[in-house]
Each structure stands twice: as C-alpha cells, then as structure tokens.
C-alpha cells in the first residue's frame, strides 16, 4: 500500500475512533445518570418512543441522503459496530482477505424492514420495558461478534448487517465514491 493510502486510511481510522469514543461516552454517561454535553437524551428517548415511525423515517432518510452523496460513509466512519470490528481486526493482526458478498444479507434487509414496519410498536415496547435483558443479549452478541471478527474480519458488516446491505446498494449510485481502475491491485487493507 502506498504512503498516501496509508495516511488516508489511518486518518479515517482515527476519525472513526473519535466518533466511536464519543458514542460510547455518551451511552455510559446517559446510563450513569450524567449529563453529556447537555444532550437532551430523555427528550430524544421520549421522541423515539412516542414517534418511532417518524424517527426511523427521518434518521434513515438522512443516512440515505448522505450515503447517496458520500458513499458508504456511515459504514466506514460512523457506525460504532463497524469501528469496533475494525479495531478487533487490527489488534488480531490478521491479513485482510477478499471475501465474496452474500445474497442473504438482502433477505435479512427485507425481513428487518418488514418487522420494523409492521411490528415497530411491540419491538419498541419490548426494548423499553426490558432494557436490562436487551443489554445482556446485546453484550452476548457483541462478544460473539468480537470472537468471529478475529477470524472473519468485518463479517457482520459484509455478511449480515441489513443496513450495510441497504447502504451498499445506495452507494453504487453515490456521487462521490472510490473507483477501482483496471490497473488497481489489491491493497490488503
């Protein structure tokens, strides 16, 4: 990999780590009862609970617009789970391998969209009324993802994540994106 590509990669990684630390700090601060940069978490939580469709449409719409303009910036820079997997992958010091794209992530995208559209109220109700169970289940999945990431790289992002599938489809038509030319060689990053 050339020096310029390495510099760009590590700059992107540092920015992603900064965003990751902010997200984690905000979550810990909220659950610890502290005020984080005066962000009105309770107002945001109440808005999400009272207007789940509106929140989902606005949030997804914003991410879709940004993805259409900037490509997969959400996946490569903002998504905390993607950054977490990249940290695990880098610490494990394994070579990056070219992996095929799997079609079932698009099936998961459709299933997720249908569940969220038709059953959003029970899902939100379950999450808000069973927050400690949701945290434990999420923690178990996070550990499982961390272990599998050591051997499979960012497999969750590339193979399972329904939002990654959606943003990948949109990114094919993005205004700004990286193009691989005929002389492009695998950079192993």
């Amino acid at each position: 990999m050339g020096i310029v590509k390495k510099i760009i990669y590590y700059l992107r990684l540092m920015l992603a780590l900064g965003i990751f630390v902010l997200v984690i700090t905000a979550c810990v601060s909220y659950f610890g009862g502290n005020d984080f940069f005066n962000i009105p978490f309770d107002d945001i939580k109440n808005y999400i609970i009272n207007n789940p469709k509106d929140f989902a449409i606005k949030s997804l719409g914003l991410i879709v617009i940004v993805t259409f303009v900037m490509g997969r910036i959400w996946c490569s820079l903002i998504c905390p789970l993607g950054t977490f997997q990249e940290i695990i992958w880098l610490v494990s010091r394994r070579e990056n391998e070219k992996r095929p794209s799997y079609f079932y992530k698009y099936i998961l995208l459709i299933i997720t969209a249908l569940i969220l559209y038709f059953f959003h109220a029970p899902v939100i109700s379950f999450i808000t009324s069973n927050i400690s169970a949701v945290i434990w289940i999420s923690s178990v999945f996070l550990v499982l993802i961390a272990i599998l990431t050591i051997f499979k790289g960012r497999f969750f992002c590339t193979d399972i994540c329904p939002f990654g599938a959606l943003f990948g489809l949109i990114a094919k038509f993005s205004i700004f994106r990286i193009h691989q030319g005929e002389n492009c060689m695998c950079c192993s990053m």
Side-chain angles (χ1 to χ4, degrees):
M1 177 188 290
I3 189 74
V4 173
K5 285 185 180 179
K6 276 188 178 182
I7 290 171
I8 291 171
Y9 172 77
Y10 286 111
L11 284 174
R12 182 199 59 82
L13 185 60
M14 295 309 293
L15 187 57
L17 284 172
I19 293 170
F20 179 75
V21 168
L22 276 174
V23 168
I24 297 301
T25 305
C27 290
V28 169
S29 177
Y30 174 72
F31 286 112
N34 298 324
D35 197 12
F36 182 75
F37 291 135
N38 295 321
I39 297 173
F41 285 113
D42 288 329
D43 294 341
I44 295 169
K45 182 178 82 173
N46 290 335
Y47 176 75
I48 293 169
I49 291 170
N50 295 326
N51 307 295
K53 272 189 180 178
D54 189 46
F55 173 76
I57 290 169
K58 287 179 180 177
S59 300
L60 193 58
L62 177 64
I63 296 171
V64 164
I65 290 168
V66 169
T67 301
F68 181 71
V69 173
M70 301 296 294
R72 294 184 73 157
I73 195 164
W74 173 267
C75 297
S76 68
L77 191 64
I78 301 170
C79 178
L81 186 56
T83 303
F84 175 74
Q85 288 181 93
E86 192 152 351
I87 293 166
I88 299 289
W89 185 252
L90 287 172
V91 169
S92 71
R93 297 198 180 271
R94 299 180 58 93
E95 285 294 317
N96 207 358
E97 59 193 47
K98 184 78 172 161
R99 300 187 51 223
S101 181
Y102 297 101
F103 74 93
Y104 55 82
K105 66 183 172 187
Y106 301 107
I107 294 170
L108 290 172
L109 170 62
I110 293 167
I111 291 169
T112 302
L114 291 172
I115 288 171
L116 291 177
Y117 184 78
F118 290 110
F119 302 107
H120 63 277
V123 169
I124 297 274
S125 176
F126 175 79
I127 290 171
T128 55
S129 61
N130 298 300
I131 195 73
S132 61
V134 170
I135 289 172
W136 276 105
I137 292 168
S138 300
S139 299
V140 168
F141 276 111
L142 190 63
V143 169
L144 182 62
I145 288 170
I147 291 168
L148 292 173
T149 298
I150 293 170
F151 301 102
K152 297 288 187 182
R154 289 177 70 161
F155 85 98
F156 182 84
C157 299
T158 57
D159 299 352
I160 298 172
C161 182
F163 299 108
L166 174 65
F167 302 145
L169 289 173
I170 295 166
K172 291 179 190 281
F173 305 102
S174 66
I175 296 168
F176 301 106
R177 61 186 165 137
I178 297 173
H179 298 279
Q180 288 183 333
E182 292 177 13
N183 297 329
C184 187
M185 300 182 65
C186 184
C187 67
S188 76
M189 280 297 252

